[in-house]
Amino acid sequence: NENAELQNGRWAMIGIIAGLGAYLATGQLIPGDSNDELTHLAEANGRAAMILFWGLVSAYTYVKYFT
């Protein structure tokens, strides 16, 4: 189905953008590869940024398709 492929592509792009955001926030490709305190703070900030991004995408999707 063409619509399914379009949705899959959109979610893949969201995943790539989220991964890029996490990398920019933490500086790590694989989170948790260091044990210093600054790394733990950066990991928490990266998670917070990803949750915020997910919330914004969800809100946008809701407004666009359901209102």
Side-chain angles (χ1 to χ4, degrees):
N1 179 331
E2 203 169 305
N3 188 32
E5 290 184 27
L6 182 64
Q7 289 292 334
N8 187 34
R10 286 181 180 163
W11 283 110
M13 290 304 295
I14 288 171
I16 289 171
I17 292 170
L20 178 63
Y23 174 72
L24 292 174
T26 65
Q28 299 175 340
L29 291 175
I30 302 173
D33 63 354
S34 179
N35 289 325
D36 64 355
E37 186 175 329
L38 184 60
T39 300
H40 292 299
L41 180 61
E43 287 175 5
N45 286 339
R47 288 185 189 107
M50 289 177 65
I51 290 169
L52 176 64
F53 178 76
W54 177 80
L56 290 173
V57 168
S58 297
Y60 172 78
T61 303
Y62 177 79
V63 169
K64 183 173 181 180
Y65 294 108
F66 298 109
T67 60

